[in-house]
Amino acid sequence: MKTTLSFATPAEIETECLAVVVLDHGMKDKPQAVVATSDGTIKDASAEMAGSGEVTGKMFEASLLHHPAKMKSKRLLLLGGGKAKSFTVSDLRKLAGAAVRTLKAKGIRSFTFLAPDGINSDAAVKAIVEGAFVGNFEPDTYKSDRKDQKIDAMTVAVTGGQPVLQKAMDEARVIGESQNFTRELVNEPGNHMTPTILAERARKMAQEVGLKVEIYGADKLKELKMGAFWGVAQGSDEPPALIVLRYEPANAPATPVLGLVGKGVTFDTGGISIKPADGMEKMKYDMAGAAAMIGTMRAIALLKPKTKVTAIICATENMPSGKAQKPGDIQIAMSGKSIEIINTDAEGRLVLADGLCYAKQLGCTHLIDAATLTGAVVVALGYVNAGVFANDEKMYESFNRALAQAGEKFWRLPLDDEYKDNIRSNIADIVNSGGRWGGAVNAAMFLKEFAEDTPWMHLDIAGTAWMEESKPWIAKGPSGIAVRSLVEFARNFGG
């Protein structure tokens, strides 16, 4: 999607449609819809609809007016943004996605979005562009009758200094494209996204944006003594892939080095502890953590922060076979810790354990892992918030600031020492499954054993990496969560 800026008077812009935010300035039971612009012509054109009560300003309410009076736009789209007093940049981002999804369904290929009054111009431009890219993605890749409905071009009408706003637009486009690249990877079915294919997609992306890339197979896992990773991989006929992406700008200091570790289980049957058939088809999304890290590295390479970042992607299938690991097996991780396998469906923490250890070996001083790790985090937080765990307060506070900028929702969960009792083993150092209660915390405690004293955060995105139903601003399917937050964090990392 092509994105451009316009500093013209909104009523003078020739466009297929001008999208305008409408906010409710009324009391609880008496809505008062007001367009979020000081432009008199737009106020006049929308006055009749607003006055009739047809437009209330309710969030995501969409009203289309054809041939608005005294305007050069063919249409005027009035988008409800909810109560004026609580309207945020995050809401604006979603409204941009809603505008795209509303208009492309009508066959419209280009439009203009008017940045609303009351929000800083560069923040508005960034949110509008990011949200528009999210709304433009559709998951129907393999439909034979796929309708080519998409927005080809969007203009953001705004006031302010062009250099600053153009920079905001260019950065937002990179982030939006990278989030959608992540979603493309997650959307692929397991037979079209094996560990080998994921590695090749990562290699191609790295070559396009100038990242260093290394890809290793089973021999490297054995050489590095990645027994936890290999324990998962050994059951599949598809070979595993250890993918290393490096961003090393010439002007970056030697430290700190941010390490991004992604769970890349390209299909998860559960192994010998096999999952129920119902819903197993969605387990193609079990590499969403890896995809988020790959998408983040794409954006980092193009935005060029002044710090080193290394991504380690542990890609494998988790399959039941005569070669698969069994409950009761003992695996020796790269760190030397012994792990008793209680449940072969608790495999993501195994691949991440060796990924975290390898990241430290490669010189990473701070670690973040992302994974669709536990159903327990969905029980705890539903489909709204992802879970975040941290062993370092300063690192967490920096990430929390990044969340505020990115508009993604994470909720911090505990890492109290008492939970460690849940992963003790009678025969080995630790077990890979601490039981039903506190399952998301138990998994994080397991990973903490491998992060050790290195500042570390764990992102459990199991409930938010896949949209269970379409929303006004986003299609059902992969969400691309964590890319925006990780990019914001990386850009301020070490600063």
Side-chain angles (χ1 to χ4, degrees):
M1 179 172 62
K2 182 181 179 182
T3 57
T4 55
L5 293 170
S6 174
F7 299 94
T9 302
E12 296 297 315
I13 298 174
E14 295 185 8
T15 180
E16 289 294 315
C17 183
L18 179 67
V20 182
V21 175
V22 179
L23 299 176
D24 179 8
H25 288 257
M27 304 299 288
K28 183 177 180 180
D29 299 323
K30 294 182 179 180
Q32 182 185 1
V34 179
V35 289
T37 177
S38 57
D39 187 279
T41 304
I42 295 174
K43 285 179 175 291
D44 291 343
S46 59
E48 184 177 349
M49 290 183 72
S52 69
E54 183 178 342
V55 176
T56 67
K58 181 181 178 181
M59 192 68 183
F60 300 123
E61 176 186 71
S63 303
L64 192 62
L65 175 64
H66 289 263
H67 308 295
K70 299 180 182 178
M71 293 178 59
K72 293 186 177 179
S73 174
K74 294 180 181 179
R75 305 167 183 85
L76 181 64
L77 177 64
L78 302 176
L79 284 168
K83 291 291 184 181
K85 62 183 179 182
S86 58
F87 185 67
T88 65
V89 173
S90 184
D91 293 329
L92 177 58
R93 185 182 288 106
K94 289 181 177 180
L95 282 186
V100 166
R101 291 182 60 75
T102 297
L103 295 175
K104 70 179 181 177
K106 298 179 181 299
I108 295 171
R109 296 301 186 102
S110 64
F111 78 108
T112 299
F113 198 110
L114 177 61
D117 291 352
I119 291 181
N120 181 274
S121 292
D122 56 343
V125 168
K126 189 171 182 291
I128 291 166
V129 173
E130 288 175 355
F133 272 96
V134 169
N136 215 21
F137 176 90
E138 293 293 340
D140 57 349
T141 306
Y142 292 98
K143 285 190 175 182
S144 57
D145 61 347
R146 185 183 190 191
K147 296 178 181 178
D148 185 18
Q149 289 185 333
K150 63 179 180 178
I151 297 295
D152 296 323
M154 179 186 70
T155 298
V156 180
V158 66
T159 59
Q162 183 166 3
V164 172
L165 297 180
Q166 187 63 53
K167 183 174 183 288
M169 173 168 280
D170 292 344
E171 291 177 352
R173 185 169 59 245
V174 167
I175 294 170
E177 289 172 345
S178 298
Q179 184 175 351
N180 281 352
F181 176 65
T182 294
R183 296 166 79 192
E184 288 172 11
L185 296 177
V186 178
N187 196 50
E188 291 290 346
N191 61 327
H192 289 269
M193 186 50 67
T194 63
T196 300
I197 295 172
L198 180 62
E200 286 307 309
R201 292 288 296 270
R203 185 198 302 275
K204 181 180 178 183
M205 179 277 293
Q207 292 171 343
E208 289 172 351
V209 301
L211 292 169
K212 296 179 181 178
V213 59
E214 304 159 40
I215 297 172
Y216 303 106
D219 290 345
K220 186 69 172 180
L221 271 60
K222 295 173 183 177
E223 175 191 329
L224 293 170
K225 298 182 179 180
M226 288 183 163
F229 186 0
W230 175 246
V232 180
Q234 70 185 51
S236 177
D237 288 340
E238 290 287 344
L242 176 61
I243 306 163
V244 181
L245 300 169
R246 299 177 194 257
Y247 170 73
E248 298 176 335
N251 58 347
T255 59
V257 180
L258 178 60
L260 305 177
V261 183
K263 172 190 174 185
V265 178
T266 57
F267 195 83
D268 180 21
T269 67
I272 297 298
S273 307
I274 198 163
K275 293 177 180 291
D278 186 28
M280 194 193 290
E281 74 283 349
K282 203 179 87 174
M283 287 300 101
K284 67 178 188 176
Y285 100 127
D286 214 20
M287 40 66 73
M293 296 312 194
I294 294 170
T296 297
M297 291 299 289
R298 179 190 183 276
I300 286 171
L302 295 171
L303 295 175
K304 303 187 185 308
K306 297 178 180 179
T307 190
K308 293 182 178 180
V309 186
T310 299
I312 294 91
I313 307 302
C314 302
T316 181
E317 291 182 336
N318 185 26
M319 299 289 284
S321 74
K323 301 181 296 180
Q325 67 179 347
K326 307 169 293 297
D329 284 358
I330 302 294
Q331 304 292 7
I332 308 300
M334 183 181 178
S335 69
K337 286 185 183 293
S338 57
I339 305 168
E340 181 184 3
I341 306 302
I342 300 297
N343 187 330
T344 65
D345 194 25
E347 87 298 335
R349 65 202 72 180
L350 297 175
V351 301
L352 289 175
D354 283 343
L356 290 167
C357 187
Y358 190 46
K360 290 191 292 182
Q361 187 180 102
L362 294 179
C364 297
T365 61
H366 295 70
L367 303 171
I368 304 177
D369 73 72
T372 48
L373 204 64
T374 66
V377 82
V378 190
V379 174
L381 301 175
Y383 297 119
V384 177
N385 281 275
V388 56
F389 301 80
N391 69 354
D392 184 87
E393 292 303 313
K394 183 178 179 181
M395 191 174 181
Y396 172 74
E397 289 302 324
S398 180
F399 183 71
N400 203 33
R401 289 191 294 272
L403 292 178
Q405 293 294 318
E408 294 183 320
K409 302 190 78 168
F410 283 77
W411 191 266
R412 191 176 186 182
L413 293 168
L415 283 172
D416 299 340
D417 286 343
E418 290 90 336
Y419 289 104
K420 191 173 180 179
D421 290 341
N422 295 344
I423 59 169
R424 295 188 188 279
S425 169
N426 292 326
I427 190 174
D429 294 327
I430 51 177
V431 297
N432 79 320
S433 178
R436 179 180 181 185
W437 309 119
V441 182
N442 295 337
M445 291 301 295
F446 180 94
L447 294 175
K448 186 182 178 185
E449 290 291 301
F450 299 91
E452 297 180 312
D453 294 331
T454 303
W456 156 80
M457 291 192 306
H458 160 55
L459 312 181
D460 192 338
I461 59 173
T464 52
W466 190 269
M467 303 298 296
E468 295 295 327
E469 58 184 21
S470 291
K471 301 288 187 181
W473 71 92
I474 190 171
K476 177 181 178 179
S479 68
I481 190 173
V483 171
R484 294 202 309 266
S485 299
L486 289 167
V487 170
E488 291 292 341
F489 178 86
R491 294 178 70 188
N492 295 292
F493 177 68

